[in-house]
Amino acid sequence: MQLIACPWCGPREEVEFSYGGQAGVPYPADPAVLSDEQWAHYVFFRDNPKGRFAERWNHSAGCRRWFTAIRDTATYRFERVSRLDDPKPVT
Amino acid sequence: MSPRPPGADLPEHPDLLWRDAEPKRAYDVVIVGGGGHGLATAHYLAKNHGITNVAVLEKGWLAGGNMARNTTIIRSNYLWDESSTIYEHALKLWEGLEEDLDYPILFSQRGVLNLAHTLQDVRDSVRRVEANKLNGVDAEWVEPDEVRKICPIVNTSADIRYPVLGATYQPRAGIAKHDYVAWGFARRADEAGIDLIQDCEVTGFATDGNRVTGVQTTRGTIAAGTVALCAAGHTSVLTDMLGIRVPVQSHPLQALVSELLEPVHPTVVMSNAVHVYVSQAHKGELVMGAGVDSYNGYGQRGAFHIIERQMAAAVELFPVFARAHLLRTWGGIVDTSPDASPIVGRTPYENLYLNCGWGTGGFKATPGIGWALAHTIAHDEPHPSVAPFSLDRFVTGALVDEHGAAAVAH
């Protein structure tokens, strides 16, 4: 089992965390003007890269706080974690 | 008599089942992905439609991805009409597949039990059984004492953490030998003159307006009249090259086998609630599947705590397994879709067809999707069984929500 470095608690076992999928998908600024296709992309479509991916994780069995991780989906290696009040990470 | 060198008297290599083809410059149809779905599509293109100027491109070795990594469960007891249509069509093809392929596939209709552990499970299961009956799919609800008769090694006592409250039972469900299935399709496609090209990874596409004109590969550029994507967990890698968004997420899905045991397990048992599904292969191994790892991943491996949790569930349900040894574990990459149903058919490119989103359950559909995708390519019109599974359903909202029948356990 790999260790994931929670930005608040430090390295903890993977079982303490839950996955939140792609990071940085904002709620539409003006929902009323979205077409069906734009809604579909907001609701159902997420990036699925092989390689670096900015993701949300939650330390659900620990401090229960969300954070952002840059992780490689091919190697599963966590490259960087950041708190939500840190500047937005760039992949 | 002079000494014989070691190996001089070994038997000849058996006849190869297919040629290791070199890529030609152009094909009428290029299928990307040499797994079960790609090979079955090639077979039915030749058999049903006489289309044989076809290449199947495989980045590794034939059928070495999910086709080599699944738990071989075949069933058609899905809830909705759309799903039971395509899976039942596949099951009917499975029932004649050995004759069609003229190749043994060890298809064994030993039945599948889908266990219910909670009151809500029971309600959902009974509803699914009734829906199956209306769709002509063999299904029945069985009480715990009947579960025990069908599969005596299941712990049906009331004192386990998640007691067995009953199960759905589909007698025509079963398992097949996944490698033989792939080899059977490959052999027949090869006989028909189709080129199966291994070690040939697609690295890009040539496009002209809304047409794909060819594929760039590690073995050169190949022109194509029509392109079909059958790349399962790697579909997004291909569609990203084409600038198409597809609503799938790739996850590792693990499975494992025990050492070889005497026959102890007469059927297939699945439990969505505790995340384990088990059958016993002809050779004797217990074949067990786990749940997906929660994160996106392309590594064809997963975390060990998933296996640990799955084993805890398996031993609780099957106390007799407690002393079995684990032989090996592995992982595949499954492309999960938002409604746990596949995505098949047209794309924004007029001569590009998509076949993905089968998630954790693509093996059972192999002959059915091969048949339907071949029809779709040959007629440039989605086969009726795949028409409901179009990419645009995520815009129209006509989802086919099979999380109940699919969950992770296939």
Side-chain angles (χ1 to χ4, degrees):
Chain A
M1 187 183 311
Q2 68 175 328
L3 296 177
I4 298 174
C6 171
W8 285 278
C9 311
R12 297 294 177 89
E13 290 189 337
E14 183 185 334
V15 280
E16 294 187 15
F17 295 84
S18 54
Y19 185 61
Q22 182 179 357
V25 182
Y27 189 76
D30 191 358
V33 302
L34 258 54
S35 66
D36 287 355
E37 188 158 5
Q38 288 169 320
W39 268 121
H41 279 264
Y42 172 68
V43 174
F44 296 121
F45 290 62
R46 294 291 179 270
D47 292 346
N48 186 30
K50 182 177 185 175
R52 301 182 85 208
F53 194 28
E55 305 171 322
R56 295 182 309 154
W57 284 81
N58 184 270
H59 191 189
S60 44
C63 64
R64 299 175 61 192
R65 280 188 278 197
W66 286 95
F67 61 95
T68 305
I70 307 291
R71 193 180 61 98
D72 189 314
T73 62
T75 63
Y76 304 166
R77 188 183 152 82
F78 282 78
E79 295 182 2
R80 196 148 36 98
V81 293
S82 53
R83 293 162 33 160
L84 298 186
D85 53 359
D86 289 336
K88 197 176 161 194
V90 205
T91 38
Chain B
M1 197 176 131
S2 61
R4 303 275 292 158
D9 300 313
L10 292 179
E12 292 290 310
H13 192 284
D15 290 341
L16 295 173
L17 291 173
W18 60 85
R19 296 164 293 131
D20 199 16
E22 289 293 318
K24 292 192 290 192
R25 302 274 310 263
Y27 293 91
D28 292 341
V29 179
V30 167
I31 297 168
V32 182
H37 288 198
L39 293 169
T41 303
H43 167 62
Y44 290 114
L45 275 173
K47 178 177 185 253
N48 293 355
H49 307 286
I51 298 172
T52 57
N53 187 18
V54 177
V56 179
L57 309 183
E58 168 54 49
K59 75 183 164 107
W61 62 91
L62 226 53
N66 293 348
M67 192 61 176
R69 296 159 194 269
N70 66 82
T71 52
T72 80
I73 298 171
I74 296 161
R75 62 188 176 91
S76 63
N77 55 353
Y78 282 70
L79 176 64
W80 299 106
D81 297 355
E82 295 86 347
S83 321
S84 64
T85 299
I86 190 163
Y87 290 111
E88 179 60 20
H89 177 231
L91 181 50
K92 288 204 168 74
L93 290 171
W94 280 110
E95 287 173 328
L97 198 57
E98 286 209 4
E99 291 73 23
D100 177 16
L101 298 180
D102 188 25
Y103 195 78
I105 57 167
L106 301 186
F107 178 51
S108 162
Q109 291 179 290
R110 56 184 62 185
V112 62
L113 288 166
N114 291 74
L115 303 181
H117 298 277
T118 65
L119 189 55
Q120 190 60 45
D121 265 358
V122 172
R123 290 173 179 149
D124 290 346
S125 300
V126 170
R127 178 188 178 202
R128 204 173 308 131
V129 162
E130 298 302 334
N132 288 161
K133 286 178 180 168
L134 290 171
N135 277 318
V137 173
D138 60 318
E140 53 188 293
W141 168 254
V142 291
E143 298 289 338
D145 59 320
E146 294 164 280
V147 170
R148 196 161 51 239
K149 278 184 207 143
I150 296 165
C151 187
I153 58 172
V154 176
N155 184 357
T156 52
S157 67
D159 61 354
I160 62 173
R161 176 66 182 84
Y162 298 104
V164 175
L165 302 182
T168 68
Y169 184 52
Q170 184 182 19
R172 286 164 61 243
I175 56 174
K177 178 76 181 167
H178 50 106
D179 289 334
Y180 293 2
V181 175
W183 300 345
F185 276 119
R187 175 173 160 271
R188 292 280 271 146
D190 178 78
E191 279 173 2
I194 289 172
D195 284 354
L196 310 177
I197 303 163
Q198 304 181 83
D199 201 19
C200 182
E201 181 171 0
V202 171
T203 55
F205 292 86
T207 58
D208 181 12
N210 65 346
R211 289 185 67 81
V212 176
T213 54
V215 294
Q216 289 136 12
T217 79
T218 49
R219 298 182 68 178
T221 299
I222 300 169
T226 299
V227 176
L229 304 183
C230 294
H234 280 75
T235 298
S236 300
V237 176
L238 297 170
T239 51
D240 282 352
M241 295 173 192
L242 286 157
I244 303 172
R245 284 193 99 192
V246 177
V248 295
Q249 297 280 287
S250 297
H251 289 272
L253 176 63
Q254 302 183 79
L256 58 92
V257 289
S258 73
E259 63 201 316
L260 309 188
L261 301 168
E262 295 288 316
V264 291
H265 184 16
T267 181
V268 181
V269 175
M270 310 176 55
S271 168
N272 290 5
V274 299
H275 278 311
V276 73
Y277 35 112
V278 193
S279 66
Q280 188 169 18
H282 291 81
K283 209 164 60 179
E285 318 98 302
L286 296 167
V287 183
M288 300 189 220
V292 294
D293 283 69
S294 63
Y295 47 75
N296 290 27
Y298 284 87
Q300 290 189 319
R301 62 192 168 83
F304 196 73
H305 69 263
I306 304 283
I307 299 284
E308 204 172 17
R309 191 174 66 142
Q310 169 201 2
M311 288 302 90
V315 171
E316 179 87 342
L317 273 177
F318 301 91
V320 69
F321 292 173
R323 293 165 74 179
H325 293 107
L326 180 73
L327 198 61
R328 62 179 185 279
T329 76
W330 64 87
I333 303 300
V334 299
D335 43 334
T336 57
S337 71
D339 57 358
S341 284
I343 304 168
V344 184
R346 294 187 195 284
T347 68
Y349 291 93
E350 63 179 28
N351 63 335
L352 176 80
Y353 295 100
L354 193 60
N355 170 41
C356 67
W358 291 91
T360 57
F363 175 76
K364 70 174 74 65
T366 300
I369 185 58
W371 182 290
L373 189 58
H375 175 105
T376 304
I377 293 167
H379 297 280
D380 190 24
E381 180 69 41
H383 185 271
S385 71
V386 295
F389 298 105
S390 66
L391 180 57
D392 68 8
R393 75 176 184 272
F394 299 98
V395 175
T396 64
L399 303 188
V400 186
D401 180 6
E402 283 293 353
H403 282 104
V408 76
H410 273 80

